[in-house]
Amino acid sequence: MPSRRELANAIRALSMDAVQRAKSGHPGAPMGMADIAEVLWNDFLRHNPGNPQWCNRDRFVLSNGHGSMLQYALLHLTGYGLTIGDLQQFRQLHSKTPGHPEFGYTLGVETTTGPLGQGLANSVGMAIAEKVLGAQFNRPGHAIVDHYTYVFLGDGCLMEGISHEACSLAGTLGLGKLIAVYDDNGISIDGKVAGWFTDDTPGRFEAYGWHVIREIDGHDAEAVKAAFEQARSVADRPTLICAKTIIGFGAPNVCGTHGVHGAPLGDDEIRATREFLDWPHPPFHIPEAIYAGWDAHESGARWEREWDEIFADYKRAHPELARTFERRIRGDLPGSWQSLARELVQQADEQRRTVATRKASQMALNGFGQHLPELIGGSADLTESNNTWWDDCTAVSRQDGDGNYIYYGVREFGMSAIVNGIALHGGFVPYAGTFLVFSDYARNAVRMAALMKIRSIFVYTHDSIGLGEDGPTHQPIEHLATLRLIPNISLWRPCDAVETVVAWQAALERRTGPTCLSLSRQNLPHQPREPGQLEQIRRGGYVLRDAGPEPQAIIIATGSEVALAVDAQERLAAEGYRVRVVSMPSVDTFLAQNVAYRESVLPSAITARLAIEAAVPDSWLRFVGPQGRILGLSAFGESAPGPDVYQQFGLTVDQAIETVRNLL
């Protein structure tokens, strides 16, 4: 039987060989953390290579994702179907081994990491999901949700501010099944971190309320094993294991230096490393005895069989709960979903309420939420402003995980990455809110949700200069345009309560990426519609008001500016102008429609077009063309009542009327 060090050396060899072949990559962290990874994956991690999606598996997150070859080597050695050929294609086009781990590309990768600190925050979300799902479904004698979340992280993860946001909340919530391993190697790209990172990291995490295990020799397998055992014995707090390692361990001439952090070792150093590690095998060759020491198929199948037996007993004792659990794990909405959605849309249309769309959003949550136990919400200290709390919400706390609402505090970035972790875990549809202007704080986590194609929902209220007196620091100008620029983001900016219900329906149904809901602070009037128009809202853009079979001009608007467009159309009609109003709550959804539908809404023959949105105008150029006009904003806002700010910037009915007249 190979020794622990020999098993760990397989990681080191594969990592240095793959980076060398690619002429690019980061061999230092995989070589430094190999001993820790060997202990975790062989002694503690419950997983099944034969079924990587087994719902009660332990989650493993590599937050220091630049060390991706550590994860790829582990997945290959334990039997996830990642071949030697895949490792030889490290960092190559269309390979299963991209430069940083990417969710959806490689079986066994739980989340996309690389932007430092976000994997750590994702792991907090996964641990929250485990805690809440267990509280909702576990019953005496039937623990069907019972797993750990393990995360590896480095100095860079801890320097990023998101680590404070996420880990502070993790301590507050007492996430005892979250175990983090800090690779304390003292090196980053620029050299020894002592010149710019001298935090008392153990003290910092103790202040968060974490259980901290200090000064573990990361190359002493028995010490590492004892640390994991101690961490697992503490049930009421997350644990940070501070492991001292040597970056690039085994490379005799460059280990412990920044030279091994992010560059191939080179042929000479690889030869020296093979000699130092007593690893005489050629590149990418792993002896059968080493494979046998790593193979997790038998243990994984056993763990899943044992869980299957537990779940079978649970299913007999609690059949309705079991059916709901299975549905939620699949990510399916209830069978009655479509009829429920139609009913809520119809109800909103019949009520004809003048209401802020942030309030309409809360009304939609009250309608949908009572039928969707998988909804878990939250806000970054703006619950009453975002209206993200609905009637059946209960808060998740340290003492009680049986809730569906998280008070995130002022942690927009951490909140958004945690939402991603909850979505990745499964069993939930998470949403969370802040002001649209503060999406800037959260931007990279929103981008990661789009990259991973996961169902995260971001509720952004106070979405224009209409919020008024808080002024330009809080008035979003460029945010709608920049969110629309992120691939695979779906953004909805509804104009009234009806469109808001449809926006929520679209967000809840969308399983291929995140949705951003842009909602008003100020009240917006109900827009009367014909029955057929209710169905067309789901297409992202539709004719809200028409002017007969031959319109002379088109006004396109979103959100709070739709009412302005309708008022302008009515006054223009009194003057004899035939103007169509198109409401376009979701640009991306409209652009995904077929050409015939888009042409029916925006006939190419009508070149007199005006777009109105209280934001930078750039994203509307494609719709109005060279002969059209845009009423928008090219400057920051002002502090004043909302109507006065609209007047100041020319976003008025009079200005819209004058512009259409000039176009005609």
Side-chain angles (χ1 to χ4, degrees), residues 52-95:
Q53 299 305 313
W54 171 41
C55 65
N56 201 47
R57 69 192 180 278
D58 290 337
R59 270 59 170 182
F60 173 76
V61 174
L62 186 70
S63 189
N64 44 343
H66 55 272
S68 56
M69 267 310 304
L70 173 65
Q71 189 159 20
Y72 300 148
L74 287 164
L75 294 172
H76 169 72
L77 292 166
T78 54
Y80 276 79
L82 202 63
T83 67
I84 282 291
D86 292 324
L87 301 187
Q88 290 172 332
Q89 289 298 302
F90 179 56
R91 288 184 163 229
Q92 304 309 300
L93 186 64
H94 303 314
S95 76

Side-chain angles (χ1 to χ4, degrees), residues 326-337:
E326 290 174 318
R327 177 185 67 76
R328 287 176 56 173
I329 291 299
R330 291 194 305 269
D332 295 340
L333 297 173
S336 59
W337 170 255

